[in-house]
Amino acid sequence: MSLDLRGLKYRHYTYLFCFLALLFCACHNDAWRDQRHIFNYNQASGVSSTDPAFASLQSNIWVVNQIYNGLLETDSNLNVIPALARSYQISDDGKRYTFHLRTDVFFHDDSCFASHKGRRFNAGDVVYSFKRLIDPKTAAKGAWVFNDKVDPTHPFVALNDSTVEIRLLRPFPALPGILTMQYCFIVPQEAVEKYGKQFRAHPVGTGPFRFSFWREGELMVLKKNMNYF
């Protein structure tokens, strides 16, 4: 069994090596070794959801981290660096964060999109994902990251397709670090609406691996995203 790790960022290496260690212990079928672009993920403690909004368990966090991305991430020295965002600025009063987004990122191919082809990621996806996270109807595990911190009227605003603002009630210097958390990873509205409650078991992201299938309690298979940025 082999897997080409070139092009993935550091944060994915750590998790992949953990996954592969489990895989080599569990997989002895020579047929798997030729499938270089398939990553078979076995999690002993079980995955309960692949929805970032519910990524509270380590087992969920590991798989969510392979399928999705956030605006920011941490490097090998735990410095906060851009991911889906190219850069960001903080207003003088510390209450507005303006993110300039990448324009070369696409969601994974999925039937929720026109022609089953993944569309380009944009600022509207950030607004949707963050609003969904704090919506009481979602009842997300990660709602706390924004609760009582963002402007209740206009907390997230898309200024254009590649620029988004987060508006705070008061300065919150920890925000960039918070945005690296899996709760804040970006999801497409089309997938959430198409799959409803089953979105937990049919993730669609922008990350280095895309979802293939999941037999709960048995096996989850992720395929390498050949268009990963």
Side-chain angles (χ1 to χ4, degrees):
M1 174 71 180
S2 62
L3 183 65
D4 184 2
L5 299 180
R6 290 176 297 176
L8 299 185
K9 296 183 180 178
Y10 177 87
R11 70 184 179 88
H12 299 114
Y13 292 172
T14 302
Y15 297 123
L16 282 172
F17 287 137
C18 293
F19 292 162
L20 289 173
L22 290 173
L23 177 60
F24 285 134
C25 292
C27 181
H28 302 287
N29 188 338
D30 290 342
W32 289 107
R33 296 176 184 171
D34 295 329
Q35 301 184 31
R36 298 190 62 190
H37 300 308
I38 297 179
F39 172 50
N40 302 276
Y41 165 54
N42 295 281
Q43 171 59 46
S45 60
V47 175
S48 62
S49 176
T50 60
D51 185 339
F54 296 88
S56 59
L57 303 176
Q58 187 64 62
S59 55
N60 294 358
I61 290 172
W62 281 2
V63 68
V64 164
N65 205 59
Q66 305 308 316
I67 299 172
Y68 297 94
N69 295 103
L71 293 179
L72 306 174
E73 63 183 12
T74 53
D75 65 12
S76 59
N77 295 313
L78 300 182
N79 297 310
V80 175
I81 61 174
L84 292 178
R86 291 186 294 106
S87 61
Y88 68 95
Q89 289 91 38
I90 307 171
S91 63
D92 290 341
D93 63 5
K95 295 194 292 185
R96 290 198 182 192
Y97 284 69
T98 303
F99 294 86
H100 304 284
L101 309 180
R102 297 181 64 130
T103 58
D104 59 347
V105 178
F106 289 79
F107 285 105
H108 302 154
D109 293 348
D110 191 86
S111 61
C112 69
F113 300 119
S115 302
H116 295 193
K117 298 293 292 183
R119 64 163 175 78
R120 192 186 304 272
F121 153 77
N122 60 58
D125 297 310
V126 178
V127 173
Y128 173 78
S129 299
F130 290 172
K131 284 186 174 180
R132 174 178 180 260
L133 183 62
I134 62 175
D135 187 342
K137 293 180 182 178
T138 305
K141 295 280 189 180
W144 63 268
V145 303
F146 290 128
N147 284 346
D148 301 320
K149 300 178 182 70
V150 294
D151 183 329
T153 305
H154 298 292
F156 316 110
V157 179
L159 302 182
N160 54 51
D161 280 352
S162 61
T163 311
V164 65
E165 274 190 355
I166 298 179
R167 300 177 179 178
L168 304 175
L169 288 172
R170 61 191 69 85
F172 183 50
L175 181 65
I178 289 290
L179 292 176
T180 68
M181 298 182 69
Q182 284 74 18
Y183 292 132
C184 300
F185 284 4
I186 306 304
V187 303
Q189 183 173 354
E190 296 95 327
V192 176
E193 292 181 348
K194 176 180 174 64
Y195 299 113
K197 292 182 178 180
Q198 286 306 307
F199 180 64
R200 61 173 287 278
H202 199 120
V204 181
T206 58
F209 287 86
R210 59 187 177 86
F211 178 77
S212 182
F213 68 88
W214 180 19
R215 292 197 299 267
E216 290 193 48
E218 296 181 33
L219 176 68
M220 178 180 290
V221 177
L222 308 179
K223 293 184 178 181
K224 185 176 180 180
N225 176 15
M226 303 306 293
N227 297 317
Y228 185 59
F229 62 90

